[in-house]
């Protein structure tokens, strides 16, 4: 089981790990590590890229509970420690888009009662699918959602991402029921009970 360093420390971009398994992913060699800071594709967010020893990490996917790091170049030797480095620019881009999506989804919820059913982060654009008909989201409502989202950005609210106990969970204004586990991303001041988004 790979230790997922990105869960406790999303700012960590360099680490050292050992190869514990070699697989293939879409025709490329792919390694399983004992620990990793590489975020696999999931939750609407594309996979990290970067370097693992002398090889480039070109994709990271979770397959049957294993985190596969697809490599271009020779995979590092099994058992030996190997340095890993996540592409910081790509990660920051995903982080900003994903956080922006949370804020915009919260804004549409608050201003138009429109729930986000899915979203997609890409290299050029980020899209959010709402459960409201387009005709119900006129110019005025779009401007209101935009203003609300910008307000949330300018307030520079704290973000907490961790597992929540059932009692804490019950008190959170979740946008939707968690699909797996109890890891929640909360935007707002938990101590003061001012939560603007919990997802
Ligand atoms: Zn999210």
């Amino acid at each position: 089981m790979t230790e997922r360093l990105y869960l406790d420390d999303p700012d960590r971009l360099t680490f050292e790990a050992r190869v514990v398994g070699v697989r293939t992913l879409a025709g490329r060699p792919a390694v399983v590590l004992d620990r990793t800071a590489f975020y696999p594709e999931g939750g609407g967010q594309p996979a990290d890229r970067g370097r693992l020893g002398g090889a480039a990490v070109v994709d990271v996917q979770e397959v049957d509970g294993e985190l596969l790091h697809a490599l271009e170049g020779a995979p590092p030797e099994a058992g030996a420690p190997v340095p890993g480095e996540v592409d910081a620019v790509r990660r920051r881009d995903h982080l900003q888009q994903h956080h922006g999506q949370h804020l915009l989804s919260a804004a549409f919820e608050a201003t138009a009662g429109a729930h986000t059913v899915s979203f997609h982060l890409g290299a050029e654009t980020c899209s959010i699918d709402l459960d409201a008909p387009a005709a119900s989201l006129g110019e005025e409502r779009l401007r209101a959602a935009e203003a609300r989202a910008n307000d949330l950005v300018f307030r520079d609210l704290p973000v907490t991402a961790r597992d929540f106990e059932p009692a804490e969970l019950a008190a959170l204004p979740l946008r939707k029921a968690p699909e797996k586990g109890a890891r929640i991303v909360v935007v707002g001041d938990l101590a003061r009970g001012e939560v603007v988004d919990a997802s």
Side-chain angles (χ1 to χ4, degrees), residues 100-151:
Q101 176 266 315
H102 276 223
L103 298 181
L104 191 55
S105 289
F108 271 112
E109 191 114 12
T111 60
H115 308 291
T116 296
V117 290
S118 67
F119 72 97
H120 168 260
L121 306 186
E124 299 297 328
T125 59
C126 168
S127 64
I128 298 175
D129 299 317
L130 299 169
D131 70 352
S136 73
L137 297 169
E139 175 80 11
E140 218 168 287
R141 283 207 152 146
L142 292 180
R143 290 286 171 217
E146 180 185 40
R148 166 98 182 167
N150 282 336
D151 177 62

Side-chain angles (χ1 to χ4, degrees), residues 24-129:
T24 55
L25 183 67
R28 290 181 188 281
V31 294
V32 181
L33 303 172
D34 62 348
R35 57 212 292 267
T36 188
F38 281 94
Y39 186 83
E41 182 177 348
Q45 186 167 319
D48 283 333
R49 291 193 185 148
R51 298 203 65 83
L52 195 62
V57 177
V58 294
D59 196 13
V60 187
Q61 296 288 331
E62 183 163 358
V63 180
D64 298 330
E66 284 190 322
L67 294 181
L68 304 187
H69 303 69
L71 303 178
E72 204 169 79
E77 216 177 294
V82 58
E85 186 176 358
V86 175
D87 179 331
V89 173
R90 181 178 161 94
R91 165 68 74 79
R92 174 161 289 268
D93 180 29
H94 293 162
L95 185 151
Q96 289 180 325
Q97 286 197 58
H98 197 156
H99 187 52
Q101 176 266 315
H102 276 223
L103 298 181
L104 191 55
S105 289
F108 271 112
E109 191 114 12
T111 60
H115 308 291
T116 296
V117 290
S118 67
F119 72 97
H120 168 260
L121 306 186
E124 299 297 328
T125 59
C126 168
S127 64
I128 298 175
D129 299 317

